Amino acid sequence: MASTVDVKDLQGATVGSIDLPDEWFGGEVKVHVMHQVVTAQLAAARQGTHKTKTRGEVAGGGAKPWRQKGTGRARQGSIRSPQWVGGGVAHGRTPSDWSQRVNKKMKRSALRSALADRVNNELVTVVRGLEFASPRTKDAVTALGALGLAEGKVLVVLADKHAGTLLSLRNLERVHTLTVDQLNTYDVLNSDAVVIDEAAIELIGTGRLAGQSTEEVSQ
């Protein structure tokens, strides 16, 4: 059964209602699928560029520091051995790829579960005309307050890359803004409330923004 939620404007007034599509906001909340997808998403975000030099990669150390016998000191072959200051690192870290493969069906299932969880807990707010004519952080703060979202982490999902809206929201540390084609499981679960532009509802899962055609996305 479709979930029906009120549609509000930026002043917090109810201006209508909308049936959220079951494809994205209904069904069972699959915790294990969300966990697997979020784990893979965080793993893929790791740079993996850590690198240490072995004794063969450190410059210098070609000459034996002293003769093998007769000095009373332990024999040494190079000043770039791991036991020397400035020497190479034994068994050091090398670049790694931490990414995990997750298929498209699982990603869609996880996103659906995350959105369904937020709807079930009444944490989804749909806003009509979610746009600010000019960049002004004060207007964004006022609008969030009117929507009852003065505190906590807020995820804002826009239908397109509207410059005035993006610039108005970007200075708010507790607000994370995405366009609908960037919507993902981790950001939904990492928020205390989800604000969605009414025009973005029908675009979820299509990979398109408002005004874009399927041909434009495939290019």
Side-chain angles (χ1 to χ4, degrees):
M1 182 177 178
S3 299
T4 302
V5 298
D6 291 336
V7 178
K8 298 187 177 183
D9 59 18
L10 290 177
Q11 289 70 47
T14 300
V15 293
S17 62
I18 186 173
D19 291 333
L20 299 177
D22 268 347
E23 179 184 4
W24 292 108
F25 295 88
E28 179 186 357
V29 177
K30 300 177 181 179
V31 177
H32 65 289
V33 176
M34 290 191 293
H35 177 271
Q36 187 167 344
V37 170
V38 169
T39 299
Q41 188 174 343
L42 293 177
R46 296 180 66 174
Q47 289 186 321
T49 54
H50 41 61
K51 176 69 172 71
T52 57
K53 290 185 177 181
T54 65
R55 60 181 293 170
E57 295 170 320
V58 179
K64 190 173 176 66
W66 52 74
R67 67 181 188 270
Q68 182 82 346
K69 296 178 179 294
T71 65
R73 292 178 289 186
R75 57 193 176 188
Q76 298 291 329
S78 171
I79 61 171
R80 294 298 180 249
S81 298
Q83 71 270 22
W84 285 73
V85 174
V89 178
H91 312 296
R93 303 185 73 185
T94 56
S96 303
D97 179 10
W98 301 102
S99 61
Q100 302 176 19
R101 180 173 174 77
V102 179
N103 62 46
K104 185 181 295 185
K105 183 178 180 180
M106 186 173 291
K107 288 180 181 179
R108 292 173 70 90
S109 178
L111 179 56
R112 178 183 182 182
S113 294
L115 291 172
D117 175 73
R118 289 297 179 259
V119 168
N120 293 342
N121 288 284
E122 299 181 350
L123 298 175
V124 173
T125 302
V126 179
V127 178
R128 180 173 298 171
L130 183 51
E131 292 185 357
F132 299 101
S134 58
R136 196 166 183 231
T137 303
K138 184 177 181 181
D139 290 342
V141 172
T142 300
L144 290 174
L147 293 169
L149 302 172
E151 297 180 353
K153 293 182 179 179
V154 179
L155 174 65
V156 178
V157 183
L158 304 177
D160 58 22
K161 297 178 181 179
H162 188 270
T165 308
L166 291 169
L167 294 173
S168 296
L169 292 166
R170 72 175 181 179
N171 286 334
L172 302 176
E173 292 185 5
R174 65 185 185 86
V175 177
H176 184 50
T177 308
L178 296 175
T179 51
V180 65
D181 60 327
Q182 300 171 324
L183 187 60
N184 63 87
T185 304
Y186 173 76
D187 285 322
V188 173
L189 295 177
N190 194 41
S191 61
D192 299 315
V194 180
V195 177
I196 307 178
D197 188 345
E198 184 181 23
I201 297 293
E202 63 180 6
L203 297 172
I204 296 176
T206 65
R208 294 186 289 113
L209 299 177
Q212 272 189 320
S213 65
T214 305
E215 290 76 14
E216 289 176 307
V217 173
S218 62
Q219 290 177 353

